[in-house]
Amino acid sequence: MASLSTELPRDPETLQAMLMARDAEIERLRQIIKELQRHRFGRRAESLPEDQLLLALEEAEQIEAAGFAASEEQVPAEKAERVAKRRANRGALPAHLPRIETVVDIESDICPCCSGKLHRIGEDVAERLDMVPAQFRVLVVRRPKYACRSCADVVVQAPAPARLIEGGLPTEATVAHVLVSKYADHLPLYRQAQIYGRQGITLDRSTLADWVGRAAFLLRPVHVRMLAVLKASPKLFADETTAPVLDPGRGRTKTGQLFAYARDDRPWGGADPPAVAYVYAPDRKGERPIAHLDGFSGILQVDGYGGYKTLAGRNAVSLAFCWAHVRRRFYELAQAGPAPIASEALQRIAELYHVEAAIRGRPPDERQATRREKSRPIIEALEPWLRAKLALISQKTKLAEAIRYALSRWEGLTLFLDDGRVELDNNIVERSIRPLALTRKNALFAGSDGGAEHWAVIASLIETCKLNGIDPQAFLADVITRIVNGHPNSRIDDLMPWAYPAQPVLSHVA
């Protein structure tokens, strides 16, 4: 009977090679396990998420406030001191808020000392911020009918004002509120229905869904035009995120994609307003960005997704890759345990970001000159260092994968050295994707491909409003009203979010 054991080679060199290969495979598997553990149990972001940090600060501030309240009850002097400090630091309430005044006057104007008449010498004014919960109201439109006493068949009446939902209940402002609550404040429609129910307004979720669908259909030309304006820009950012969509035929969800195309020239003082347009696609095939960006020529700043390489091969598009994605791979290795090569790579990449911090907001030519002076030596030293380290380690390790990821994209990673408009990373568009993730987390999935397309249309307008400092609810209410009243398509540029007046800068209350 043949032996079931595998006979080891007698050649020492072959045996050593096998042991080295085994050790490399074990190390690679250990790195994969650590990465999975960090993904499952650890923080996924390189830095502490701002929302989580704020939650911790809120708890600490609440405990501090409770402590102050307890001490003020025991020591009145501390209360007076804190009241004076609070009044000195809280700032002024915005002037545009309505004021409801209450006069707290003395009961008698007779002097308590000599019984003479008191005269007014001034006053103390204290302002407090009050809030009235969102209140529904009913707009009643009456249209009188007129008839002629001589002509029996003549009845004259003014035409009914145009509205988004013919024969329906909501005003355009109400629909805008539902849109903003769903796509900006991440409140699913069933939760909105519950909120309205507490005020005695019975609105079924399906009714709200009908409003959203009609509004999205009406706003689609604005979205199409906004994407066309972005494609005429010389430089864009692109990224994508998953969009779970209900798939009734299979009884589960399928994974669609929301592609984001953003423009933000503020880091180099560009004049074009910032904007982001989302486009839904049922899959992540490389042909999707090719179709979305048909006609675009210029610089496209992206992550490592291969679909953009296909786009660059067919069109006059130069790809600028993202150093944050390169950094993230080394960061994951450094976090998993001692990793001297990964740690040094992080330090070298950090030097690039120190240079960027000093030139943010400067003109392109100044940024380019500084990068050539300070960033180019870092880049010229980094590439041979990476190649040298890659030659010393097993090619099957996660570290080798991280190094190859960087070297295979080196041309796009170094494009920023010769163009001051190019950013070091793709974080601008990644920040525009975070609101989509929050909506996805609360809503779980879109009901259909059509619902995901509505999501893309409305989220594009809302997020572009936010980038330009515009109130999205006021904008949507105004744009819907204009379209309903026959705004000409030849003047569709008047409906772009950046054409809407921005909100005034308001001082902080406290």
Side-chain angles (χ1 to χ4, degrees):
M1 181 182 292
S3 175
L4 297 178
S5 62
T6 302
E7 184 178 354
L8 294 176
R10 297 181 180 181
D11 183 7
E13 293 183 357
T14 304
L15 178 60
Q16 184 178 7
M18 290 180 61
L19 292 176
M20 291 178 62
R22 183 202 64 181
D23 292 342
E25 179 66 13
I26 291 174
E27 181 61 27
R28 187 181 74 87
L29 294 174
R30 283 178 178 171
Q31 290 174 348
I32 292 174
I33 291 172
K34 288 181 179 179
E35 185 176 337
L36 290 173
Q37 288 174 332
R38 178 174 171 268
H39 181 78
R40 177 65 180 86
F41 302 108
R43 290 190 294 108
R44 299 187 184 183
E46 299 174 35
S47 58
L48 183 64
E50 182 181 358
D51 293 343
Q52 295 297 320
L53 178 60
L54 292 178
L55 285 175
L57 290 176
E58 287 173 7
E59 298 295 334
E61 289 165 349
Q62 291 170 21
I63 295 172
E64 182 185 34
F68 285 156
S71 65
E72 288 170 3
E73 287 186 357
Q74 299 175 2
V75 185
E78 289 188 9
K79 180 178 182 180
E81 180 182 350
R82 290 198 180 97
V83 168
K85 184 177 180 180
R86 195 177 297 123
R87 286 175 176 167
N89 295 335
R90 71 179 183 180
L93 289 168
H96 75 282
L97 295 179
R99 261 67 176 174
I100 299 175
E101 295 191 357
T102 301
V103 178
V104 181
D105 208 346
I106 58 178
E107 295 181 358
S108 173
D109 60 356
I110 303 300
C111 176
C113 180
C114 68
S115 299
K117 187 174 180 62
L118 299 174
H119 66 280
R120 187 169 178 172
I121 60 173
E123 65 179 3
D124 289 333
V125 179
E127 292 189 341
R128 296 192 301 160
L129 184 64
D130 189 29
M131 188 186 76
V132 178
Q135 187 176 31
F136 288 96
R137 62 181 184 179
V138 179
L139 300 185
V140 180
V141 178
R142 299 184 184 275
R143 294 189 297 132
K145 294 182 179 180
Y146 298 89
C148 177
R149 297 185 184 277
S150 302
C151 306
D153 296 333
V154 174
V155 177
V156 180
Q157 186 182 33
R163 57 175 68 179
L164 173 64
I165 312 293
E166 292 294 340
L169 293 174
T171 63
E172 287 67 36
T174 302
V175 175
H177 178 76
V178 172
L179 297 178
V180 171
S181 297
K182 177 175 173 63
Y183 295 106
D185 300 330
H186 321 295
L187 281 174
L189 295 181
Y190 78 90
R191 294 186 188 173
Q192 293 189 51
Q194 293 171 353
I195 293 172
Y196 301 150
R198 290 199 295 267
Q199 298 194 46
I201 307 296
T202 302
L203 289 172
D204 190 73
R205 181 201 52 78
S206 60
T207 301
L208 299 179
D210 178 71
W211 298 356
V212 171
R214 291 176 181 273
F217 174 79
L218 195 76
L219 294 168
R220 188 167 298 186
V222 182
H223 173 261
V224 171
R225 175 56 183 164
M226 190 166 70
L227 181 59
V229 170
L230 289 182
K231 289 195 292 185
S233 305
K235 179 180 177 298
L236 290 178
F237 297 86
D239 202 359
E240 70 288 330
T241 187
T242 58
V245 176
L246 195 62
D247 191 1
R250 297 189 302 167
R252 56 181 179 176
T253 60
K254 61 182 180 180
T255 302
Q257 295 287 325
L258 281 169
F259 288 82
Y261 303 104
R263 176 181 70 190
D264 194 342
D265 299 339
R266 291 175 294 182
W268 53 270
D272 290 334
V276 59
Y278 305 106
V279 183
Y280 171 74
D283 52 54
R284 200 173 180 233
K285 295 179 180 178
E287 62 198 47
R288 301 301 179 184
I290 293 176
H292 299 162
L293 295 178
D294 182 35
F296 170 72
S297 61
I299 298 171
L300 188 66
Q301 190 132 21
V302 297
D303 56 17
Y305 168 48
Y308 300 120
K309 292 184 179 180
T310 307
L311 174 67
R314 296 188 180 185
N315 296 338
V317 175
S318 300
L319 296 184
F321 287 113
C322 174
W323 276 99
H325 281 76
V326 175
R327 183 187 185 280
R328 196 167 299 152
R329 290 173 175 261
F330 291 112
Y331 175 83
E332 290 171 353
L333 294 171
Q335 285 293 104
I341 296 178
S343 298
E344 185 173 346
L346 290 177
Q347 292 175 359
R348 291 173 180 251
I349 295 173
E351 293 176 7
L352 296 175
Y353 277 92
H354 289 320
V355 177
E356 292 301 304
I359 61 175
R360 186 159 300 279
R362 305 287 180 85
D365 53 350
E366 185 176 339
R367 283 159 60 95
Q368 181 179 350
T370 303
R371 286 169 172 174
R372 285 181 175 177
E373 176 189 354
K374 298 181 178 180
S375 298
R376 187 178 292 278
I378 301 172
I379 292 293
E380 290 177 347
L382 180 58
E383 182 183 14
W385 180 83
L386 287 174
R387 294 190 183 279
K389 296 302 179 184
L390 182 62
L392 296 176
I393 62 176
S394 170
Q395 302 304 298
K396 297 181 179 181
T397 61
K398 301 291 287 185
L399 178 59
E401 289 181 13
I403 295 176
R404 285 196 296 267
Y405 179 89
L407 293 176
S408 64
R409 295 164 175 81
W410 200 254
E411 182 179 355
L413 288 171
T414 57
L415 188 63
F416 77 101
L417 294 174
D418 300 315
D419 194 326
R421 299 170 302 169
V422 178
E423 285 293 284
L424 200 60
D425 54 41
N426 210 31
N427 287 347
I428 284 176
V429 70
E430 287 197 357
R431 286 194 293 269
S432 296
I433 278 182
R434 288 175 189 170
L436 299 183
L438 288 173
T439 299
R440 178 179 62 211
K441 181 179 180 181
N442 288 345
L444 299 182
F445 51 80
S448 63
D449 288 334
E453 291 173 0
H454 295 166
W455 184 4
V457 169
I458 299 170
S460 299
L461 299 178
I462 288 176
E463 294 305 317
T464 301
C465 282
K466 290 160 64 175
L467 286 172
N468 288 275
I470 294 166
D471 177 8
Q473 182 168 330
F475 166 79
L476 289 173
D478 181 71
V479 168
I480 292 173
T481 301
R482 289 196 202 182
I483 297 176
V484 166
N485 284 286
H487 186 89
N489 192 57
S490 59
R491 293 174 51 199
I492 195 170
D493 285 349
D494 295 344
L495 303 182
M496 295 297 107
W498 51 81
Y500 197 79
Q503 296 172 263
V505 177
L506 305 178
S507 61
H508 291 290
V509 175

